[in-house]
Structure formats: structure tokens, C-alpha cells
Amino acid sequence: MTAPSPTHWHAQTVEDSLQRLDSGPTGLDADEAERRLASFGPNRLPERAGPGPLKRFLLQFHNLLIYVLLASTLVTLALGEWLDSAVIFGVVLINAVVGFIQEGKAESAMRAIQKLLTLDSRVKRSGEVRQVPAEDLVPGDLVLLEAGDRVPADLRLVETRDLRIEEAALTGESVPADKTSRPVTADASLGDRHSMAYSGTLVSAGSGVGLVVATAGETELGRISHLLGSVEQLQTPLLADMARFARQLTLIILVLAAATFIFGILLRGYSADDMLMAAVGLAVAAIPEGLPAVLTIILALGVQRMARRSSIIRRLPAVESLGAVTVVCSDKTGTLTRNEMTVQRVYTAARRYEISGVGYAPEGDVSPSGDLAHDLHELARAGLLANSASLCEVDNRWCITGDPTEAALLTLAGKLQLDSSDEALRQPRVDAIPFSSERRYLASLHRDEKGQGVIYLVGAPERLLEVCDQQWRDAAAEPLDPRIWDDVLEEGAAAGLRMIGLARRVVGSGQHELDHADLDNGFVLLGLVGMMDPPREEAILAIEDCHSAGIHVKMITGDHATTAAAIAERLGLPSGTPLTGADLDDLSDTELDALLRETSVFARTSPSHKLRLVERLQAIGERVAMTGDGVNDSPALKRADIGIAMGIKGTEAAKEAAQMVLADDNFATIAHAVEEGRTVYDNLRKSILFILPTNGAQAFVLLTAILLGLTLPITPLQILWVNMITAVTLALALAFEPAEDDLMARPPRDPKAPLLSGELLWLILLVSVLLTLASLGLFIHSQQLGWSMEASRTLAVNALVFGEIGYLFSSRRLNGPARFGIRDNPMVWAMVGLMVLLQLGFTYVPALQSLFGTRGLRLEGWGWCLATAVATCAVVEADKWLRHYIASKRRPPLT
Ligand code: ADP
Ligand code: MG
């Protein structure tokens, strides 16, 4: 067949469209699909070409800090200091190369993580529905759509049921458009083509079937894909803060350099050339040029670590906000529980049955057994017929496709020896309405052996009791006695069972479609079943962790309040009266706010309640993480401080709205992610705290020397060496620092607190002064001993570096005592080793000696350096201890 010419598909009839693409109601067969895939290529949007390598490299220079360094190169050049000029430029170049490589790595790591979120579609091929990657779709395929799906290709709609699609990605219109299969006029604009579903748009309600008419770059989205952003920028609030800080710092440095220049010439009588060099030295000393790269690496490493533990970050700022979360609102079913449903109890009007057996294997006993189980069979048959899940046995293990709640009903039917294909033959399905969390029921219409219509209704017992006026006892219908059912509902729910009702209604033979109006009354209640869905063991531990980390956990469920409370107790959530969706509707904001803190279970809620909960929690000052999976969870996910979507059972709409996706749908993963988020934030802070004093000290050394009228104890070249080397070695080691022991025992961070609080600024100042004293002191001392200028300078540089090494061990802990262990972060000692080697090279290798003007040191020089390291560490530790002591004195101990 030929490639479909650009056709006005929206104006064609369904039949014409199918014919043009050689497709039919059963879809393509596998061979044909494969042939077409080979000729049309994968259904993947052409990746937007980002800036090329050259441009990305040049962008590394686009930075105020670097401009200052480049200007310094020019100044030294103008002064004829060729060597200085070459080395400064060399450093700028090395910095750009390092930044280029690291940014590239970080971006490809991010891209690899995003690729974990692939899109699958349900396609009809050879009459069977199967799940295929959206990339394998070809023109002519029939794609099934339902609420929450992302449309995987451009589709001519063949069948629709209340289908509404949100096309903001394409048209900018955020109100969902109603869709039908009827053709529209050829000149209809994109937004008016109601017979089409376009790639990249989101199904917000209903369901439908569409014929693929265009894939990949041929889709409307493909045509405008140059408008879409590709990889997200590696940016977070903290990094933006740092960038702002760096700019301010640069300005301060420039002013300071200018002041020094003038001061030196006017008051100290230095020559203009000398002072220019000093100003340049000051500029390069104070600029933390290595810092941005280190911060990016820490972030990228954190995101990678999270991905390894099943949390996929979609938006980078999430990494930071995770560490500040104070409330986690979690779905119950599947996240806190295993979502492995087993029917354990059945209540009919006449009696109560206990069902044994574990998992989905249709093997187990019923007690009481006996011939009287006619009512039980009727109920099980209803559960079987109204079902859209399926069971299969692979290697002696029973697995399911579809909803676990429905699969459990299949297992129940299996235990009663009902055969699904027999039953389906006897009562073929005519129409069905799938389960939805808003309505809390599903229904299906069948034709029985006498040609009569039968509707089966399965869902939340309260809903069913509203529409039943009769109940089934043994073999006949009798008037409904609501008291029986209220009692057994309460009894089952108190045992932690998920309660489901089943009902039946006979209708005329002429009925072919199911309507919600058919489900309003006239049903006969067949009974209730109670399913066990055990809590996840790991969730119990994770909830404990959250509590000790000062994070409240709230369970949100559509399930019955009593069931939810029973499960909450097993999970170790604080007991308290659950609030139901109905309560939420009745309470005013102020009333609700008063109850929010002590309520940890919200039951019988609809997705719309989640948004209100997020808003009210935020209003009382909490920072909320909210989980979600359905299409209607999107507003709450977007509103939450962190929206978390389920990776397995979540819809595309939920993932799109979320900042983070749980690859394993597991609550414990959220707790891990919070821990990682806190670790990343800690490590960002640690490396900032570590790097800035180096710059501070160098600047102080130069300033003091100029004020005192001394020769420069450290040359600009040597300063550059120290800046470069410490940033890429020592500071980098902090990126690998694991979580501190008490990380999950601390309260959540206040995101409004400034990054560099007074305490941290004090620390930076303290260490800067310490390093200055050591470096300058040893310089002056060795000069007095008669060392050569070169040797004294070499000593000053080494003292500075060794002071940094000592400080590194303190920096590993923000609050606790310094750490010297190797095991939890081998990078620290590795980098210290490397650093020492580099300093030995700097001191003794002839080529480096002539480049940097260094000289070999006497042994006592190294002894002083070592002493500097120990002293720096000791003083910082003493300061930490003192601040702790004062703080504990000020805060009376809790009694
Ligand atoms: P959650 O996911 O929080 O457990 P749901 O909205 O899935 O809540 O379920 C709410 C209620 O709807 C359940 O208590 C049960 O009675 C009923 N229900 C859930 N899933 C199904 C289903 N697939 N078919 C019929 N009824 C269901
Ligand atoms: Mg559910």
C-alpha cells in the first residue's frame, strides 16, 4: 500500500478511512503491522536537536564569573605577563571542558531516566486487544482509548463513548473537547475536528476506539515539535539562588578589586602594573569558578540514586522540595497495601460463607459447603460475568491482568467450579460500563438463554443498597431488609475487609446499550463479598520512618471508613475517627482545618476531595506530597508541593501532572525519596560550605598582604591552581556523602529559611580566617627564617590546601562531629590522596615548578602543613560543639 497522502481524515467517513488504510474492525494482523512498521518507521517524535556541541561548549563561557576571568586574561596580556595570561586562560578553558563534560553527563543521565517512562497503548490486532509500546503503532492500527490515556498517534475516531479530550498541548484550549465518530467539514480548524484524536493530547473522560492515520513526525504534534522543550534545564530553586549569589559575589569582588587597586597606588605607593596584577589576583581568588559544576553533579547523582530506588524525578526542583515535605497523603489500595485481593467472606441474605485459599489460585474450600449453596453460585456468577479482568497460570503461578478487585471475583468463581467461557456463552455480554472511582460501581448488560436482558451491578455496598429493593434468598427474590446488610457490612469492614456488593436486574430483550439511568432502581441484591488486601510490610516500616522524620502520613481511599480504619491500624497510623468524603463536603474550611492535623484516614473520598485536602493542608502551613493515579487526580497532583504518580497503575494524565513517578507504586519508595531529597540538599549545602572558605581565605591573604604592604604570599597563578584543584577533587567527594545517621530523625527543613543562615555564614568566615592565619602566618614565619620567596609561597599554598583537607572531614557532617571513616564514602580518602599527590607534583615536578614558580619544601614545611590540617579540623569541631552546647542551654530540655 502507499503512504497515506495528506488527507482530510476528519472529513472522511469511518468506513472510507478504514478502507483507505486497508484496515477493518479487527485491526491489522501482526505480519502486516510489522511490514508497516518497517516502512513507516517507529512512532517516535524526531528528537529536537538541542544546541550542538560547539554551541554548548561556548555557552560554558557565558557566565559572569568567566567574563571576569577573561577580562583578567586581557589585563595580564596588556601588561605583557604572558605566562599569567596563558594560565588564566588555560584555567578558563579547563573549567569549560569540565563543565561541558559534566553537564553532558548530567543531561544524558536525566534523559535516560525520562526514558524509563515509556508509553504503552492498547491496540486491537487480529481482533485481539494487546498492549504494545506506542512506538510500534502504525497507520491502520486500531487504538483503544480510555480516561487518563495520552493519545499515542493521530487517530480518526471509529467509536466513542462520552469521549472528551483535552487538547491544550496542541490548541492551547484547556477545556476538554467532546469527540464523536461523525465526520466534520473539510475546512474545520484543528480545535473543531471532533472526529479526530491527536497525538500528545489527553483523554479526560469516556472511552473510544481510533484508527491510526498518522504517526511520528507526520502527526500534528510532530509538525510543531520544534515548539516543545526537549530536555529540562538542570535548574532548581537552590541552584538559582546560588547563581544569584555568585553574581552578587562577583560584583562585590570587582568593587573590592577596584578599591584595592586605588588604595595600593595612592596609599601604599605600589606601581600601577603591580596593583593591576594584584587586582586580577584578588578577582580570581575570590571567584568560586568550580562551584556550579559541583552543584550540578550532586543534583545529577541524587536523581540517579533515586531512579535506582524506583523514584523517577520528572521535574528537578522536586529533589529539593522532597526534603521539605511535612505531610504525605497516600492512596491506600496498592500503595500502602499490596493490591492482592482475596475474597475471604461472602454474605448472602441467608448465611455467611468463609472461603479459604491464598492468592489468585482458584483453589480453596467453602464453608459451610453443601448443596444449599445456590445463592453463593448466583453471586459468584454475577462476579464472573460483570468482570473485565482475566486470570492465567504461568509456571504454576497465578497472575492476573486487569483490576485486582475484579480478578478476586474470578478466583472466587473458580473455587466454585464456574467456568468463564461456559458462562460467557450462556449469557453473552452486550454492553458494559467500567468501574470508576467517582461512581464506585461497574455494570454489564447480558443476554440470557431466554433472550432476556440482565444487568449485573458490582460496587460499593452503600451504592448498591440505594438501588436495590429486593434481596436474593436461596432461589427467590424477597423484599430487601437493609438492617441485615448494614450489620454484615459493618462486621466485614471491621475485620479490615474491602466490601463489594453484587446485584442483578432483569430488563427487556430489546435493550442493547447500558445507560446510567438503567442503574437507578429495581435491582435484586445477591450479597456482599469481603476481600482481604494485606498491608505492605515495607510500608509499615516506612510509615515509622516518616513519623520519626516529623512527617505525617495520611491515607486517602475510596474504601469504606471502617475497612480503612482497620487497615490504618495495622499500618501503624495514628488512630482517630476517619473523615469521609461526605464529611468533607459538609465541613466548612475552618471546621476542616481544625480536624486535619489529627485525622489520618480519609475514606469514601472521590478524586475531587484530594484537591481540597491539599489546599487546606497547605493553608495550615503544611508542605504536601500527594499520590495519585487516575485522570481526576491531576488537579491535586499539580497543586501539591510534590505530586507523585503511580508508575504501574497510574494513567498518563497523572504522570504528566506529577513531579515524580513511583516505578513500583510502593509507599516505601516515597520515604526513600524523601531521604534522598534530604541527602541531596545536605550535600549541596556541604559543598557550598566547603568551597566558599577557600575563596574567602585567598582573598583575605591578598588583601591583608596589600594592606600591610607585603609581597603577595600567593601568586594569581597559584590561586587558580588551588581553586581548580580543590573544587574538582575535595569538594566533589562531598557529592558522594551518604545520608547522615540522624537524617530521618530530624524535622523537615523549612524551605523559607535562607540557604546561608547566620550560623553558616559564621562558619564560612571562621574557616576563611583560620586558613588565612595559617597561610599568611607560615609565609611570614618562613620568610623570617630566611626561606626564598618561592619556597615561602609554596608553603603558603600547601598550608592552605592542607587546611582545606582538615576542614573536609568536618564538612562531612553539618551538625555531628567530623568523620574519618573510609567505608561509607571512600571518595573522601581517595580524593585526599589524589590531592596530596597533586600538591607533591606542584611542589616538586620541575615543569610545574617553573610554571607556578614553586620550590621543593623542607620536611618541617610539611610538618607545619599537617599541623594546619589538624588544627583547622580541631577548631571547626570545637566551634560546632560550642554552638551545640549553647543551643542546648538556651533550649530547656523536653520533659
Ligand atoms: P481505593 O482505590 O482507594 O481503594 P476505589 O475507588 O478503588 O478506592 O474503591 C472504592 C470502592 O469501590 C471499594 O470499596 C469497592 O467497594 C468498590 N470497588 C473498587 N474497585 C472495584 C471494581 N473493580 N469493581 C467493583 N467495585 C469496585
Ligand atoms: Mg482503586
Side-chain angles (χ1 to χ4, degrees):
M1 62 160 277
T2 55
S5 54
T7 311
H8 291 317
W9 291 105
H10 52 279
Q12 307 268 323
T13 63
V14 168
E15 292 71 32
D16 281 353
S17 307
L18 283 168
Q19 205 174 11
R20 283 184 73 116
L21 287 170
D22 270 337
S23 190
T26 56
L28 304 173
D29 63 34
D31 291 343
E32 178 60 20
E34 207 167 300
R35 259 195 303 281
R36 290 191 190 187
L37 188 60
S39 85
F40 289 103
N43 175 31
R44 196 187 307 141
L45 283 185
E47 221 160 276
R48 192 182 76 140
L54 183 66
K55 175 139 185 237
R56 281 203 300 127
F57 183 67
L58 289 179
L59 275 176
Q60 297 292 328
F61 295 93
H62 179 53
N63 180 324
L64 191 55
L65 303 183
I66 304 297
Y67 289 158
V68 174
L69 289 183
L70 286 174
S72 309
T73 318
L74 292 181
V75 170
T76 45
L77 209 58
L79 294 176
E81 302 278 351
W82 306 113
L83 186 64
D84 286 51
S85 160
V87 173
I88 299 179
F89 189 68
V91 165
V92 171
L93 218 56
I94 292 174
N95 196 59
V97 170
V98 170
F100 176 75
I101 294 173
Q102 273 158 355
E103 222 176 80
K105 268 199 204 149
E107 272 174 13
S108 59
M110 274 307 278
R111 216 172 295 142
I113 288 167
Q114 300 296 321
K115 285 232 171 81
L116 297 174
L117 298 170
T118 53
L119 183 61
D120 276 340
S121 312
R122 285 172 311 130
V123 180
K124 206 186 243 185
R125 286 192 180 155
S126 314
E128 264 177 53
V129 177
R130 61 188 70 172
Q131 194 110 351
V132 305
E135 283 199 11
D136 293 349
L137 292 182
V138 291
D141 263 331
L142 285 180
V143 174
L144 277 64
L145 297 177
E146 67 181 41
D149 285 352
R150 183 153 40 164
V151 179
D154 282 2
L155 309 177
R156 172 67 176 89
L157 293 166
V158 174
E159 230 178 274
T160 61
R161 176 181 206 114
D162 308 328
L163 184 64
R164 290 160 69 78
I165 296 188
E166 192 241 286
E167 299 182 318
L170 213 54
T171 60
E173 173 59 61
S174 60
V175 178
D178 285 306
K179 297 288 179 177
T180 68
S181 54
R182 282 190 304 279
V184 297
T185 56
D187 58 359
S189 69
L190 216 52
D192 293 327
R193 297 183 188 168
H194 303 310
S195 55
M196 300 289 293
Y198 289 107
S199 180
T201 58
L202 284 169
V203 180
S204 48
S207 57
V209 179
L211 171 73
V212 176
V213 296
T215 58
E218 298 301 312
T219 60
E220 293 296 330
L221 186 70
R223 287 188 208 157
I224 59 158
S225 73
H226 57 278
L227 295 178
L228 305 168
S230 54
V231 180
E232 204 195 354
Q233 282 214 330
L234 291 165
Q235 189 63 283
T236 72
L238 176 68
L239 293 201
D241 270 1
M242 270 323 285
R244 211 169 312 125
F245 172 74
R247 279 196 297 274
Q248 289 163 354
L249 191 67
T250 312
L251 290 180
I252 296 173
I253 293 165
L254 287 178
V255 171
L256 211 60
T260 315
F261 177 75
I262 296 167
F263 172 87
I265 294 178
L266 296 185
L267 296 178
R268 283 282 176 271
Y270 286 103
S271 75
D273 283 11
D274 274 358
M275 273 299 96
L276 258 185
M277 278 312 285
V280 166
L282 191 63
V284 296
I287 293 178
E289 58 267 4
L291 189 57
V294 172
L295 297 186
T296 312
I297 296 171
I298 293 178
L299 210 58
L301 280 175
V303 173
Q304 263 177 324
R305 267 201 309 266
M306 288 190 194
R308 241 175 273 136
R309 291 174 88 170
S310 302
S311 355
I312 299 164
I313 297 293
R314 292 189 67 239
R315 309 210 204 293
L316 266 179
V319 181
E320 280 170 23
S321 9
L322 265 172
V325 160
T326 58
V327 173
V328 178
C329 296
S330 172
D331 287 343
K332 171 179 77 74
T333 309
T335 311
L336 290 167
T337 65
R338 296 223 284 256
N339 210 5
E340 287 164 12
M341 309 278 174
T342 319
V343 175
Q344 292 191 334
R345 237 179 247 177
V346 177
Y347 296 100
T348 63
R351 56 189 73 74
R352 158 182 153 170
Y353 298 92
E354 300 286 339
I355 320 285
S356 71
V358 285
Y360 291 108
E363 294 141 13
D365 298 320
V366 176
S367 73
S369 54
D371 313 331
L372 273 175
H374 172 78
D375 51 353
L376 183 58
H377 274 103
E378 266 329 282
L379 173 140
R381 181 170 297 122
L384 177 68
L385 288 167
N387 221 293
S388 48
S390 61
L391 285 182
C392 57
E393 193 182 6
V394 186
D395 305 331
N396 285 327
R397 275 194 43 140
W398 286 85
C399 52
I400 64 161
T401 52
D403 189 321
T405 306
E406 290 167 49
L409 293 174
L410 290 181
T411 302
L412 174 68
K415 287 176 182 170
L416 293 167
Q417 268 80 43
L418 291 177
D419 183 87
S420 63
S421 40
D422 281 0
E423 297 296 332
L425 272 179
R426 225 174 298 151
Q427 295 195 46
R429 179 182 279 197
V430 185
D431 197 14
I433 295 178
F435 177 78
S436 86
S437 305
E438 281 82 18
R439 293 188 297 260
R440 291 196 202 105
Y441 59 64
L442 58 76
S444 71
L445 172 64
H446 296 258
R447 184 86 52 239
D448 75 4
E449 287 140 318
K450 294 177 233 139
Q452 248 176 342
V454 182
I455 301 175
Y456 290 108
L457 187 64
V458 181
E462 299 98 312
R463 279 297 161 95
L464 265 70
L465 285 169
E466 287 168 14
V467 300
C468 291
D469 44 24
Q470 291 182 299
Q471 62 196 25
W472 193 256
R473 185 188 288 270
D474 295 333
E478 62 177 30
L480 186 81
D481 179 359
R483 270 173 321 172
I484 309 182
W485 301 107
D486 290 343
D487 288 350
V488 298
L489 175 57
E490 208 40 52
E491 179 187 317
L497 297 176
R498 181 177 175 83
M499 301 300 289
I500 312 261
L502 298 101
R504 177 175 68 187
R505 179 186 166 192
V506 178
V507 291
S509 55
Q511 187 158 358
H512 294 286
E513 266 178 31
L514 258 186
D515 210 351
H516 291 292
D518 301 324
L519 309 176
D520 270 357
N521 56 51
F523 278 88
V524 181
L525 188 63
L526 297 172
L528 306 186
V529 301
M531 301 181 178
M532 192 60 220
D533 176 19
R536 290 177 183 262
E537 292 300 325
E538 63 274 29
I540 300 176
L541 297 177
I543 288 176
E544 241 176 70
D545 283 350
C546 285
H547 285 161
S548 68
I551 300 169
H552 302 280
V553 179
K554 313 226 178 259
M555 171 201 273
I556 300 184
T557 179
D559 227 333
H560 192 275
T562 312
T563 308
I567 298 285
E569 198 190 317
R570 275 179 229 183
L571 284 164
L573 287 174
S575 57
T577 336
L579 280 181
T580 64
D583 295 338
L584 289 177
D585 291 335
D586 290 344
L587 292 170
S588 72
D589 281 351
T590 10
E591 288 166 332
L592 178 56
D593 291 356
L595 290 172
L596 273 179
R597 286 235 159 82
E598 72 241 32
T599 307
S600 51
V601 178
F602 298 88
R604 286 293 189 236
T605 53
S606 314
S608 59
H609 292 123
K610 283 190 176 176
L611 180 61
R612 174 134 189 256
L613 284 178
V614 170
E615 284 174 349
R616 290 329 301 167
L617 281 167
Q618 285 175 335
I620 60 172
E622 305 285 354
R623 291 176 298 281
V624 187
M626 169 66 83
T627 67
D629 50 10
V631 55
N632 299 321
D633 291 340
S634 304
L637 291 178
K638 279 191 192 142
R639 178 63 202 256
D641 296 87
I642 298 264
I644 302 174
M646 299 300 143
I648 303 171
K649 66 176 172 132
T651 56
E652 281 305 309
K655 290 182 199 169
E656 208 110 306
Q659 298 198 338
M660 182 177 126
V661 176
L662 292 187
D664 58 1
D665 289 11
N666 188 342
F667 179 82
T669 302
I670 302 177
H672 291 321
V674 168
E675 189 181 340
E676 287 294 352
R678 289 184 172 192
T679 310
V680 167
Y681 198 84
D682 262 11
N683 288 353
L684 288 172
R685 273 207 315 184
K686 286 175 189 174
S687 44
I688 293 169
L689 275 186
F690 176 74
I691 289 182
L692 289 182
T694 321
N695 300 98
Q698 289 169 343
F700 282 159
V701 168
L702 291 192
L703 281 176
T704 324
I706 293 167
L707 284 178
L708 299 179
L710 300 172
T711 21
L712 295 186
I714 305 181
T715 67
L717 287 191
Q718 293 169 341
I719 284 170
L720 280 173
W721 161 269
V722 176
N723 278 1
M724 278 309 295
I725 297 304
T726 48
V728 297
T729 56
L730 298 184
L732 196 60
L734 291 175
F736 296 88
E737 200 53 33
E740 293 192 16
D741 298 332
D742 70 338
L743 190 75
M744 291 299 271
R746 296 182 207 158
R749 162 173 63 86
D750 176 3
K752 284 197 230 58
L755 172 70
L756 295 176
S757 61
E759 221 169 275
L760 300 190
L761 283 173
W762 157 249
L763 187 62
I764 292 175
L765 188 70
L766 173 72
V767 179
S768 303
V769 170
L770 278 180
L771 295 179
T772 307
L773 286 179
S775 180
L776 200 60
L778 285 174
F779 175 81
I780 296 173
H781 180 61
S782 61
Q783 283 284 290
Q784 285 164 349
L785 290 181
W787 288 25
S788 69
M789 178 60 68
E790 283 83 1
S792 288
R793 282 180 169 156
T794 311
L795 179 64
V797 170
N798 276 315
L800 193 67
V801 169
F802 273 72
E804 283 272 301
I805 290 177
Y807 178 43
L808 180 66
F809 293 100
S810 282
S811 299
R812 293 181 65 185
R813 288 291 178 274
L814 287 168
N815 299 311
R819 272 191 85 90
F820 301 93
I822 293 190
R823 229 174 326 129
D824 49 354
N825 182 2
M827 281 299 267
V828 169
W829 280 102
M831 286 301 172
V832 168
L834 181 65
M835 189 76 209
V836 170
L837 277 183
L838 285 168
Q839 282 314 110
L840 287 174
F842 174 82
T843 312
Y844 294 105
V845 172
L848 292 177
Q849 280 183 341
S850 57
L851 190 60
F852 289 104
T854 52
R855 210 38 72 73
L857 286 189
R858 278 195 247 143
L859 201 58
E860 68 214 64
W862 292 112
W864 294 333
C865 289
L866 211 57
T868 306
V870 174
T872 311
C873 187
V875 173
V876 174
E877 288 306 301
D879 171 68
K880 263 190 214 169
W881 183 86
L882 205 66
R883 273 185 291 135
H884 251 273
Y885 180 76
I886 295 172
S888 67
K889 274 278 134 126
R890 225 183 277 154
R891 212 179 309 118
L894 297 171
T895 45

